[in-house]
Amino acid sequence: MFLGVDGGGTKTAYALIDAHGALRASHVGGSVSHLSQGYERAAALLVEGVRAVFAAAAADAAEIRFAFFALASHGEDSASTARLDAMPAAVLDPAHFRCGNDMIGSWAGSLACEDGISVIAGTGSMAYGEYAGRSARAGGWGEIIGDEGSAYWIAREGMNLFSRMSDGRAAHGPADDGMRA
């Protein structure tokens, strides 16, 4: 069996499939982001989620041929990479899993690891693509630096427009009416 884990900033989704690609079990749990949870809590939530999907499939770690843990912010800070890479070791043999950025999981899942670009716009926003063995990413820098297209950015831009309308620095429009309702 194969385990895929999408550890985003808001929630974590787990999917366990068999060798034929049939879904054996899935589970959704809380975010395993070390930035919001801290390393120890994130690791505990990750293990809890893996165990929950195993229980739902009546399976165990010995049946896992390989797992990929797509983790928010993985690889973005060299000081945290080793700790993130070690998180699944409490429940799986390190020879049977790999960790990477959650954007890689988005690309692999949406394009079946074929050349192309995957764009996400959720809690955060980022684009990642691969072509002819080369890879590139853009965005994903967080709300302070720039996360254009993310939910946070959209809300902030809406509030910014509302404040300009309220102050008379922008023409009144639907955003003004909607915010006052």
Side-chain angles (χ1 to χ4, degrees):
M1 287 193 284
F2 300 89
L3 174 65
V5 178
D6 177 12
T10 305
K11 67 180 183 299
T12 303
Y14 305 78
L16 187 62
I17 63 171
D18 64 23
H20 303 289
L23 181 65
R24 291 281 307 273
S26 63
H27 174 73
V28 176
S31 171
V32 296
S33 170
H34 71 288
L35 299 174
S36 62
Q37 303 292 338
Y39 289 106
E40 289 75 23
R41 178 76 179 136
L45 287 168
L46 185 75
V47 168
E48 180 182 301
V50 170
R51 288 185 175 148
V53 79
F54 284 172
D60 63 39
E63 296 175 75
I64 301 301
R65 183 164 179 186
F66 196 77
F68 185 78
F69 292 84
L71 304 173
S73 74
H74 184 280
E76 296 173 10
D77 174 12
S78 60
S80 68
T81 301
R83 288 185 83 176
L84 294 174
D85 286 342
M87 287 186 358
V91 69
L92 286 175
D93 179 339
H96 295 280
F97 72 83
R98 181 175 156 234
C99 297
N101 191 279
D102 58 338
M103 192 63 231
I104 296 170
S106 172
W107 164 79
S110 65
L111 296 167
C113 298
E114 296 289 333
D115 286 350
I117 299 169
S118 177
V119 178
I120 59 167
T123 305
S125 65
M126 187 185 311
Y128 175 86
E130 292 197 14
Y131 178 74
R134 296 174 301 186
S135 65
R137 70 170 262 192
W141 298 110
E143 67 275 0
I144 294 173
I145 297 171
D147 226 357
E148 296 84 351
S150 71
Y152 180 90
W153 179 84
I154 292 168
R156 189 187 72 226
E157 290 295 306
M159 293 301 296
N160 184 291
L161 177 59
F162 171 72
S163 71
R164 291 192 324 267
M165 286 183 210
S166 297
D167 293 346
R169 296 176 287 134
H172 288 279
D176 188 35
D177 296 335
M179 294 296 241
R180 293 184 189 278

